[in-house]
Amino acid sequence: DAKTTQPPSMDCAEGRAANLPCNHSTISGNEYVYWYRQIHSQGPQYIIHGLKNNETNEMASLIITEDRKSSTLILPHATLRDTAVYYCIVRAYSGNTPLVFGKGTRLSVIA
Amino acid sequence: DGGITQSPKYLFRKEGQNVTLSCEQNLNHDAMYWYRQDPGQGLRLIYYSQIVNDFQKGDIAEGYSVSREKKESFPLTVTSAQKNPTAFYLCASSTSGSGETQYFGPGTRLLVL
């Protein structure tokens, strides 16, 4: 079973920041938080991952709480093309272990 | 271009027929994975392989078989024992280091006639 809890759906106005929360209260010390997204009928796309420090790349920012029990993915300026299902996944960083997907959050960006 | 290719994009299976889904990667990745996705659901792991000539069952391996004879190829066979094969099938690959990020192919949609 997935080790994360996410809201089933969220809306965001185009051009505004989209903040997607994730709860992972049982995360272990060697587990990272990964975010993927899946646009309709496509394969999932990697967004970002982190251990305990905040991370930023060209797509998004990842904010992890100090106790590591929750995190937030931030899309700074959402566009219509960001409409997708977003998956938060907790995974150990070694041995090429498979990903365990929950149902994710369906983000709808509205014009 | 580097990446993962899956073929065909759509596949139709008759009752009692085995079908094979292709997955090829030219990323030189060690590990490859097969996931199944049903409508409105997340992905579920069928099989994965961390090295050539070795693979492990995932959560829903019954009715499926795989082989890993070459590093770049990981075909999935949906056998007649899989009673509900209609789904979206996704292949992925990853390698050690660099976050062990998994990269996904475009998927194959299997429909039963």
Side-chain angles (χ1 to χ4, degrees):
Chain A
D1 291 348
K3 297 179 66 173
T4 61
T5 303
Q6 299 177 251
S9 64
M10 295 181 63
D11 292 336
C12 178
E14 188 178 21
R16 304 297 294 268
N19 297 284
L20 291 89
C22 180
N23 182 290
H24 33 79
S25 58
T26 61
I27 192 170
S28 301
N30 68 337
E31 290 179 321
Y32 282 63
V33 180
Y34 290 79
W35 283 84
Y36 282 76
R37 73 179 182 184
Q38 185 177 25
I39 296 169
H40 184 62
S41 294
Q42 296 183 21
Q45 176 190 23
Y46 165 79
I47 301 173
I48 199 167
H49 75 280
L51 180 63
K52 55 182 179 181
N53 297 321
N54 299 338
E55 302 287 345
T56 296
N57 63 19
E58 64 279 3
M59 291 183 67
S61 295
L62 173 60
I63 309 298
I64 302 174
T65 58
E66 191 169 345
D67 63 7
R68 303 213 316 127
K69 293 184 177 181
S70 65
S71 61
T72 301
L73 179 75
I74 301 172
L75 308 178
H77 304 286
T79 71
L80 298 177
R81 287 177 293 182
D82 291 321
T83 292
V85 178
Y86 287 76
Y87 296 100
C88 170
I89 299 168
V90 165
R91 173 178 176 248
Y93 187 113
S94 66
N96 281 314
T97 54
L99 298 171
V100 178
F101 287 81
K103 294 187 177 181
T105 295
R106 181 173 300 277
L107 175 68
S108 298
V109 180
I110 304 166
Chain B
D1 287 348
I4 302 174
T5 56
Q6 291 186 243
S7 61
K9 187 172 182 179
Y10 294 95
L11 186 58
F12 298 93
R13 193 191 91 164
K14 295 180 180 179
E15 294 286 343
Q17 186 180 46
N18 292 355
V19 292
T20 298
L21 284 61
S22 170
C23 178
E24 304 277 333
Q25 54 98 1
N26 62 3
L27 302 168
N28 199 34
H29 282 175
D30 299 309
M32 298 186 74
Y33 313 80
W34 274 106
Y35 296 88
R36 167 181 171 145
Q37 187 174 34
D38 293 287
Q41 304 298 313
L43 283 68
R44 292 183 293 167
L45 181 69
I46 305 173
Y47 269 98
Y48 68 105
S49 168
Q50 293 174 317
I51 57 172
V52 174
N53 292 321
D54 188 41
F55 48 83
Q56 288 78 42
K57 292 182 179 180
D59 299 320
I60 55 166
E62 185 175 352
Y64 300 97
S65 66
V66 293
S67 63
R68 185 88 186 277
E69 298 176 1
K70 298 186 296 183
K71 189 175 186 179
E72 60 270 23
S73 179
F74 192 39
L76 174 74
T77 296
V78 184
T79 74
S80 58
Q82 174 48 243
K83 298 306 179 186
N84 186 23
T86 296
F88 189 42
Y89 290 86
L90 289 150
C91 179
S93 70
S94 68
T95 196
S96 300
S98 300
E100 298 187 350
T101 302
Q102 285 191 22
Y103 295 93
F104 285 81
T108 292
R109 195 166 297 278
L110 176 61
L111 299 169
V112 176
L113 298 177

